[in-house]
């Protein structure tokens, strides 16, 4: 997303609608000062566990993570931060947990975790979604009998050149490269029991990084945009060597500068920092920063690259950090929000 000239952004926060949570919440964010001002509930909707912004920045989409999965489309009021429901369609599966649009904004992809399937939807000019034009059901299992008894598609990731969508299946320990029409191409196998979850590409498309949930590791790959093939470079832990408690990797993101990579740890309740070698694409561990809350799920870097917001799901907090532009280190600003069960964060330009 290009940085806006104005300092104001709207932060949209997807939640699990448990307890007092009612849907998607919003806050005003000033990228000059880091000030966050709650705008309250932006839209009532069930379990909007992952959000995605349209490339034209006028529409927002949510995966409604329910047994009968749906995907919701909203129009953004850039002045008030309110969302207007435009359409709801079936996700063609159970438990959709990730949505992403292609670079043109013409297609939306949804990963259905429970059923282990992926679907593609046409996006109309008015932001509404058509019914799925195609869905693909995965099959198989892997090494962990509790978590990998069957397929669990966890994310659908558009490559920077917009040619392939790479679907990470936690249940199969595989990454499938599909065309935007969901025709299968290359398949990359991960280590048995690793559980690939989320993915981040470097902006130039040369390198890709996969966060594995079950082993709390990041694997660096060289990416071949012609074929969708991934060649492994290294795998590194997101946890200190001395840590032996519960582990569960959640989110991964690259700083806009391309110099730093971040990954969140549930259980250890922290964000791991890595430096990226500009030529080799390999990672060097550079520390862990506590998220000052319980069970950090998603986090998001603001479009200017100055701040990071971490969503602590089980403590109901959004905690803000300032990013050191030279080292990538995170320093808490003391600014935050109370939001029930936050699990996804998206920045969109705001108007006064």
């Amino acid at each position: 997303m290009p940085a806006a000239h104005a300092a104001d952004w709207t932060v949209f926060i997807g939640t699990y609608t448990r307890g007092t949570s009612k849907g998607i919440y919003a806050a005003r964010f000033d990228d000059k000062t880091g000030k966050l001002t709650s705008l309250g509930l932006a839209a009532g909707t069930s379990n909007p566990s992952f959000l995605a912004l349209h490339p034209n920045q006028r529409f927002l989409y949510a995966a409604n993570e329910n047994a009968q999965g749906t995907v919701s489309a909203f129009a953004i009021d850039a002045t008030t931060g309110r969302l207007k429901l435009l359409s709801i369609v079936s996700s063609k599966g159970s438990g959709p947990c990730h949505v992403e649009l292609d670079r043109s904004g013409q297609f939306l992809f949804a990963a259905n975790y429970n059923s282990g399937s992926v679907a593609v939807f046409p996006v109309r000019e008015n932001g509404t979604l058509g019914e799925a034009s195609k869905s693909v059901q995965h099959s198989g299992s892997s090494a962990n009998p509790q978590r990998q008894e069957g397929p669990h598609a966890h994310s659908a990731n558009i490559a920077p050149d917009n040619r392939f969508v790479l679907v990470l299946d936690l249940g199969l320990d595989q990454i499938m490269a599909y065309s935007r029409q969901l025709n299968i191409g290359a398949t990359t196998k991960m280590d048995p029991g690793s559980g690939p979850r989320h993915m981040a590409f470097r902006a130039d498309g040369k390198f890709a990084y996969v966060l594995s949930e079950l082993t709390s590791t990041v694997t660096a790959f060289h990416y071949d945009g012609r074929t969708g093939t991934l060649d492994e470079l290294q795998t590194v832990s997101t946890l200190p060597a001395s840590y032996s408690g519960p582990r569960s990797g959640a989110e991964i993101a690259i700083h806009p500068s391309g110099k730093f990579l971040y990954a969140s740890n549930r259980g250890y309740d922290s964000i791991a920092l890595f430096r990226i070698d500009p030529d080799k694409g390999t990672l060097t561990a550079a520390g862990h920063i506590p998220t000052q809350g319980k069970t950090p799920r998603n986090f998001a870097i603001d479009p200017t690259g100055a701040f990071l917001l971490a969503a602590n799901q089980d403590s109901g907090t959004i905690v803000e950090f300032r990013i050191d532009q030279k080292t990538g280190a995170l320093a808490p600003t003391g600014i935050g929000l109370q939001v029930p069960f936050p699990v996804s964060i998206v920045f969109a330009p705001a108007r006064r």
Side-chain angles (χ1 to χ4, degrees), residues 67-135:
Q68 299 295 320
T70 56
V71 181
S72 300
F74 299 90
I76 298 171
D77 185 322
T79 302
T80 66
R82 294 292 183 261
L83 297 171
K84 178 184 177 182
L85 180 64
L86 298 176
S87 64
I88 303 176
V89 296
S90 168
S91 69
K92 294 298 181 182
S94 177
C97 62
H98 189 273
V99 288
E100 186 159 315
L101 293 109
D102 82 320
R103 310 293 175 185
S104 72
Q106 295 178 308
F107 302 99
L108 179 140
F109 300 87
N112 293 296
Y113 179 85
N114 291 346
S115 55
S117 59
V118 60
V120 59
F121 305 82
V123 182
R124 304 186 181 107
E125 288 189 12
N126 63 1
T128 60
L129 294 171
E131 294 293 332
S133 56
K134 187 175 182 179
S135 62

Side-chain angles (χ1 to χ4, degrees), residues 13 59 146 154 161 196 306 329:
I13 303 161
F59 308 115
Q146 286 77 40
H154 214 311
D161 64 3

